Amino acid sequence: MPVYTLTTTVGMLSSQTKASLAGEIGRIHSEINHVPATYVNVVYQELPVDNVYAGGEPAAPVLVNGWVREGHDEEETSRLALEIASAVTEFTSVPEDRVVVVFQSSPARFAVELGRLLPDPGHEADWVASIKNGQPTVHR
Amino acid sequence: MPVYTLTTTVGMLSSQTKASLAGEIGRIHSEINHVPATYVNVVYQELPVDNVYAGGEPAAPVLVNGWVREGHDEEETSRLALEIASAVTEFTSVPEDRVVVVFQSSPARFAVELGRLLPDPGHEADWVASIKNGQPTVHR
Amino acid sequence: MPVYTLTTTVGMLSSQTKASLAGEIGRIHSEINHVPATYVNVVYQELPVDNVYAGGEPAAPVLVNGWVREGHDEEETSRLALEIASAVTEFTSVPEDRVVVVFQSSPARFAVELGRLLPDPGHEADWVASIKNGQPTVHR
């Protein structure tokens, strides 16, 4: 259900780092927001060095943008942001002064997965069960 | 006024599919949200295969992020999300278990087009008319 | 703290234009939202020509998406959107009928920089001071 977009410059992260960090983001998200890790989408946008600036100067940050459904406990979202930022530094060795994490949210009923509107936070299990019963497709 | 970003892996969609799906998204959006189709922006982000993950594993989804002005009827936004998801599957042959659609919104007065703040939902016709009268530029 | 993403087609903007526009965005943002310009992140997404559409037809816009913390004065955000749009046209020579600016926001406590939750609007100075006192890292 969530979508994470990590923006960096080309060559900052190895393929192995991208894969292992994607797994760690899934693990953290799953633990805090109670969504099965298989539903956690992570994409990397790797940009040429002259396409990334901070204060008008070339920069090499890791900019993380995460989308989550509205209605999660706000303190949990703060914890999620802090833990994701910490994981980025741990897995990439990019120091925390170059890591920015931003979460945005909108109502679950503004989003669709598996052809169905998403459930509000707290109703994930029913939603997953209804899909398993009514619809044999498997999310990958 | 709206902006749709579709994220896929490289080579998933042909040029023809990208163009025809962009047209269909414009058609659906125009019908439901009463915006002329010419104002519907659609961009494709095609990423290398090792830049896209679900559950920490390489994945090949179509992730759709749409921005709309705040104030549309919420049920209409749900319908929009469902119809866009359905169109993605129909036009790309990517099954619905790999299609995610998310809409986000913010106030019309936080957005500018043609050098002017956008109108709130329901006031599009006046806005378009005022541009045609006062300003001869044509949006493409 | 803010993140600006500018989406264009490949080759529309020279390296020099990208750098100078990034600086101007930082200047405008800093003046209106009282954030040091060094914290203003600007990234450019340059897409192949057949990846960008308006109304189902190939297009060559500059699509600006800015994220800011919730709680800024709404009229100031309107002014910010208008001034950013104007700067894009001035620096890129892309006419205003092909420039779209959208701001989105979410709570400061949903975002992390320098390993810390962001401050609400109006509390930037305390936040910066606390970092300088307690943490010798320098944001780049």
Side-chain angles (χ1 to χ4, degrees):
Chain A
M1 304 180 195
V3 181
Y4 286 84
T5 303
L6 284 78
T7 302
T8 66
T9 54
V10 172
M12 274 179 68
L13 308 183
S14 70
S15 288
Q16 193 180 332
T17 296
K18 288 186 278 188
S20 58
L21 178 57
E24 178 68 0
I25 289 173
R27 195 194 63 72
I28 294 170
H29 190 97
S30 180
E31 184 207 318
I32 296 181
N33 270 13
H34 313 296
V35 168
T38 50
Y39 288 88
V40 180
N41 300 284
V42 177
V43 306
Y44 294 89
Q45 295 274 7
E46 299 176 298
L47 302 177
V49 290
D50 70 341
N51 282 23
V52 183
Y53 299 86
E57 300 294 326
V62 182
L63 304 172
V64 182
N65 186 283
W67 177 83
V68 295
R69 292 164 294 146
E70 230 172 68
H72 289 288
D73 184 88
E74 295 207 342
E75 288 186 15
E76 294 288 272
T77 302
S78 291
R79 183 158 76 90
L80 186 59
L82 287 164
E83 292 201 12
I84 295 291
S86 176
V88 168
T89 287
E90 181 187 346
F91 278 69
T92 66
S93 301
V94 173
E96 65 182 13
D97 63 320
R98 285 162 47 203
V99 175
V100 178
V101 175
V102 172
F103 279 92
Q104 296 180 270
S105 64
S106 54
R109 63 186 170 281
F110 285 11
V112 168
E113 193 159 351
L114 288 157
R116 299 178 182 206
L117 297 172
L118 290 187
D120 281 320
H123 298 269
E124 293 82 1
D126 290 350
W127 189 82
V128 171
S130 80
I131 283 167
K132 284 186 179 155
N133 294 333
Q135 185 175 319
T137 50
V138 175
H139 183 83
R140 285 183 293 172
Chain B
M1 305 179 196
V3 181
Y4 286 84
T5 303
L6 284 76
T7 302
T8 65
T9 53
V10 171
M12 274 180 68
L13 307 183
S14 69
S15 288
Q16 192 180 333
T17 297
K18 288 186 278 188
S20 58
L21 177 57
E24 178 69 0
I25 289 172
R27 194 194 63 71
I28 293 170
H29 191 97
S30 178
E31 185 208 316
I32 296 182
N33 270 14
H34 313 295
V35 169
T38 50
Y39 287 88
V40 180
N41 300 283
V42 177
V43 306
Y44 293 89
Q45 295 274 6
E46 299 176 299
L47 303 176
V49 289
D50 71 340
N51 282 22
V52 183
Y53 298 86
E57 301 294 326
V62 181
L63 304 172
V64 182
N65 186 283
W67 177 82
V68 295
R69 293 164 293 147
E70 231 171 65
H72 289 288
D73 184 88
E74 295 208 341
E75 287 185 18
E76 294 289 271
T77 302
S78 291
R79 183 157 77 93
L80 186 59
L82 288 164
E83 292 201 12
I84 296 291
S86 177
V88 168
T89 288
E90 181 187 348
F91 279 70
T92 67
S93 301
V94 173
E96 65 181 12
D97 62 321
R98 285 161 47 202
V99 174
V100 179
V101 174
V102 171
F103 278 92
Q104 296 181 269
S105 63
S106 54
R109 63 186 171 282
F110 286 11
V112 168
E113 192 158 352
L114 288 157
R116 302 179 181 204
L117 297 173
L118 290 187
D120 281 319
H123 298 268
E124 293 82 2
D126 290 350
W127 189 84
V128 171
S130 80
I131 284 168
K132 284 187 179 155
N133 293 333
Q135 185 175 319
T137 50
V138 174
H139 182 82
R140 284 186 293 170
Chain C
M1 305 180 196
V3 182
Y4 285 84
T5 303
L6 285 76
T7 302
T8 65
T9 53
V10 172
M12 274 179 68
L13 308 182
S14 70
S15 289
Q16 193 180 332
T17 297
K18 289 186 278 188
S20 58
L21 178 57
E24 178 68 1
I25 290 173
R27 195 194 63 70
I28 294 169
H29 190 97
S30 179
E31 184 207 317
I32 296 181
N33 271 13
H34 314 295
V35 168
T38 50
Y39 288 89
V40 180
N41 301 284
V42 177
V43 306
Y44 294 90
Q45 295 274 6
E46 299 175 300
L47 302 177
V49 289
D50 70 341
N51 282 22
V52 184
Y53 298 86
E57 300 295 325
V62 181
L63 304 172
V64 182
N65 185 284
W67 177 82
V68 295
R69 293 164 294 146
E70 230 172 67
H72 289 287
D73 184 88
E74 295 208 341
E75 287 185 17
E76 294 288 271
T77 303
S78 291
R79 183 158 77 92
L80 186 58
L82 287 163
E83 292 200 12
I84 295 291
S86 177
V88 168
T89 287
E90 181 187 346
F91 279 69
T92 67
S93 301
V94 173
E96 65 181 12
D97 63 322
R98 284 161 48 201
V99 175
V100 178
V101 175
V102 171
F103 278 93
Q104 295 181 270
S105 63
S106 53
R109 62 186 171 282
F110 285 11
V112 169
E113 193 159 351
L114 289 158
R116 301 178 182 207
L117 296 173
L118 291 187
D120 280 320
H123 299 269
E124 293 82 3
D126 291 349
W127 188 85
V128 171
S130 79
I131 284 169
K132 284 186 178 155
N133 294 334
Q135 185 176 319
T137 50
V138 175
H139 183 85
R140 284 183 294 171

